[in-house]
Amino acid sequence: MALLPDRRLVGPERPTLRDIEPLNRIFSDAFTDRYRRDGLAGVRVPHLNPLVWRYAIEDAGDGAMIWRDADGQPIGFNMVHRSGAEGWMGPLAVRPDRQGDGVGKRMVQAGIDWLQASGVATIGLETMPRTPDNIGFYSRLGFTPRHLTITLVRDLPRRAGIPGEPLGGSGASFDARVGDCRALTQRLARGVDFTRELVLTRDLQLGDTTLVWNGSRLRGFALWHSVPLAEGRVRDELRVLKLVAEDFDAFTLVVRAVEGAAIGAGIRRVAIRCQTAYPDAYARLVEDGYRVHWTDLRMTLHGYDEIRPTTGVVFSNWEI
């Protein structure tokens, strides 16, 4: 009689830096398989930059979860993040040979449980909008489709820009500047706090945060990374992950300052993950020459919707 394969699932455990290589293999294999099933057989998803993985693991903290099989080999992972009252999951993936046997459901439910125990107001994730299987899977777990997050990119002219103040260069004032960023964010979106991301970006030298002031009042800021997203690539893009502006005029100033920071760093392309819940900001970026590069569908758990400001703009990526 043939023996059935051991389908045990061990975890979740908190991954370490030693797990980055197997995490990368699962990430690449799972998303490449997803594209193949969506009819894009020629797409091969590259491994992520190990520095980006380190950022994801350390940003998630105790919310970083990995599951293993009976032989101790990783089966899947879920990076569960908390930015104050805002909680989200990503990236998450299951090894292709273990998909369809309940692993993904268990992983997502573990993320939900962890965020609910943390007392967050928002629980969300982003998925590919063209993939009905993914949307249906998350819907059955209680998630509802919301707006799109559209990655907009612009190739910058070679003229000098006007950068704002770099948070990474604030020296002894760094903690105070981070406090200013936290206060502005929470004034617009109660309870949301990007402190962990700001500090990790500096500590891991992934990029910086650009600040825009009016005298002593912080009007807005943008957290960005310039390290290559994919392993082995060159630095050719500045990616805005978080952007906070007290009003629409401040939003325009922050975008201009980010472009100036990119030009000053010798980077000619800026990518901004724009939530379409802010139609005026989206329209302004398109008018400025930004073009659509990628789309993600935002989904939130029932009863845990986004914290939306009544004024100003708060872009918060739910990807790394």
Side-chain angles (χ1 to χ4, degrees):
M1 183 177 66
L3 294 177
L4 294 175
D6 192 332
R7 311 297 285 181
R8 280 182 295 172
L9 185 65
V10 179
E13 304 170 357
R14 182 171 175 173
T16 69
L17 298 183
R18 293 190 300 273
D19 290 307
I20 287 178
E21 184 177 350
L23 288 172
N24 244 338
R25 286 198 301 270
I26 294 173
F27 175 86
S28 177
D29 291 348
F31 282 97
T32 296
D33 182 67
R34 176 72 267 172
Y35 286 129
R36 180 189 59 78
R37 287 185 283 135
D38 284 348
L40 301 173
V43 175
R44 179 68 191 176
V45 176
H47 286 192
L48 292 176
N49 186 333
L51 267 177
V52 174
W53 271 115
R54 183 176 174 185
Y55 173 79
I57 292 169
E58 294 191 18
D59 182 55
D62 290 338
M65 304 179 188
I66 189 171
W67 285 260
R68 305 180 191 274
D69 60 22
D71 296 325
Q73 298 302 310
I75 291 174
F77 61 85
N78 188 1
M79 300 294 139
V80 187
H81 306 262
R82 180 186 177 191
S83 301
E86 180 183 82
W88 54 276
M89 291 178 260
L92 60 108
V94 178
R95 209 171 67 197
D97 66 297
R98 291 299 300 266
Q99 293 178 10
D101 63 0
V103 176
K105 179 179 179 180
R106 181 166 168 179
M107 285 169 34
V108 174
Q109 189 60 56
I112 292 172
D113 293 344
W114 187 83
L115 288 171
Q116 287 176 328
S118 299
V120 298
T122 297
I123 298 177
L125 52 82
E126 290 181 344
T127 189
M128 293 178 279
R130 66 182 173 278
T131 305
D133 289 349
N134 284 10
I135 297 170
F137 169 73
Y138 292 122
S139 295
R140 289 189 294 274
L141 293 175
F143 288 84
T144 300
R146 301 299 183 183
H147 53 270
L148 293 176
T149 292
I150 299 184
T151 301
L152 295 165
V153 300
R154 183 187 182 200
D155 296 315
L156 301 175
R158 293 191 175 273
R159 64 176 181 269
I162 306 174
E165 177 190 331
L167 178 62
S170 55
S173 300
F174 179 81
D175 290 343
R177 294 288 185 262
V178 169
D180 292 329
C181 293
R182 180 170 55 249
L184 175 60
T185 304
Q186 296 191 344
R187 177 160 61 86
L188 298 176
R190 184 177 179 182
V192 178
D193 183 0
F194 300 138
T195 296
R196 185 196 295 268
E197 291 92 334
L198 297 174
V199 173
L200 275 175
T201 293
R202 181 202 62 170
D203 291 350
L204 299 179
Q205 299 182 359
L206 300 168
D208 208 338
T209 300
T210 296
L211 313 176
V212 171
W213 300 85
N214 180 8
S216 61
R217 188 178 89 253
L218 181 65
R219 297 200 63 193
F221 67 90
L223 166 67
W224 50 266
H225 288 177
S226 58
V227 297
L229 186 60
E231 187 176 24
R233 302 286 175 85
V234 299
R235 190 180 76 152
D236 61 356
E237 181 179 81
L238 183 153
R239 304 183 305 279
V240 175
L241 279 65
K242 311 287 184 185
L243 190 155
V244 177
E246 65 178 3
D247 54 36
F248 189 63
D249 289 340
F251 170 78
T252 301
L253 292 174
V254 171
V255 172
R256 296 288 180 270
V258 166
E259 292 171 349
I263 292 173
I267 302 171
R268 298 297 174 181
R269 191 187 200 201
V270 171
I272 300 177
R273 291 179 58 80
C274 172
Q275 280 83 61
T276 56
Y278 300 92
D280 292 341
Y282 177 80
R284 170 56 58 84
L285 292 172
V286 173
E287 289 170 3
D288 285 349
Y290 283 82
R291 65 187 187 278
V292 175
H293 179 69
W294 193 257
T295 57
D296 291 288
L297 176 66
R298 217 157 169 98
M299 302 184 74
T300 56
L301 188 68
H302 180 70
Y304 290 87
D305 295 339
E306 280 189 76
I307 302 168
R308 191 78 54 77
T310 56
T311 61
V313 175
V314 178
F315 286 171
S316 176
N317 72 304
W318 287 354
E319 289 286 349
I320 56 171

